[in-house]
Amino acid sequence: MNTEPAGHAQGSVEAGTGDAFVTYYEQQSTTPETYQRFRQTRDQMLRLVPEARRNGLRVADIGCGAGTSSQLWAEAGCIVRALDVNEGLIAIARNRSASFGSRIEYSVGFASQLPWPDRSFDVVMLPELLEHVPDWKVTLSEATRVLD
């Protein structure tokens, strides 16, 4: 029995799976509102960092989706390591971010099992993620572990 909503051949936005989910987030990640929201967050956080330290700041973007936030941090001179559980979104992010070279590195993985060493980041971002993970306490513990 097919439990997918009508018109969704594979997966759904609600379930967070399949083509419909990836297409939805691919489109939403490039709206002016999305850029404004992520840019405001980045700028507010950068105000907390002395200007002399901003270039080369190490940023973890956990739950990076299609990479919009990662790109904005890289534009500000930061080194970004980004992670998302969805392979389709990571593929989109890699394609969109090719011009940034080694400033952004994308990985597929789980927020509850980060692939990075302890104390490897100056900033850890979890935008719009915690409501999507089953064990938010483990996710926050992992984010704290990699924060320097």
Side-chain angles (χ1 to χ4, degrees), residues 57-73:
L57 200 67
R58 302 165 300 160
V59 177
D61 186 2
I62 304 168
C64 67
T68 303
S69 182
S70 298
Q71 291 172 30
L72 291 170
W73 282 93

Side-chain angles (χ1 to χ4, degrees), residues 2-25 86:
N2 185 358
T3 59
E4 296 300 327
H8 292 214
Q10 292 182 357
S12 71
V13 173
E14 295 80 14
T17 60
D19 295 339
F21 179 83
V22 171
T23 300
Y24 174 80
Y25 276 98
N86 189 296

Side-chain angles (χ1 to χ4, degrees), residues 36-53:
Q36 180 182 359
R37 186 174 66 251
F38 285 145
R39 190 175 286 113
Q40 283 179 324
T41 300
R42 179 205 61 194
D43 292 348
Q44 287 174 351
M45 292 187 72
L46 284 176
R47 284 188 198 108
L48 301 172
V49 178
E51 202 163 326
R53 284 203 59 223

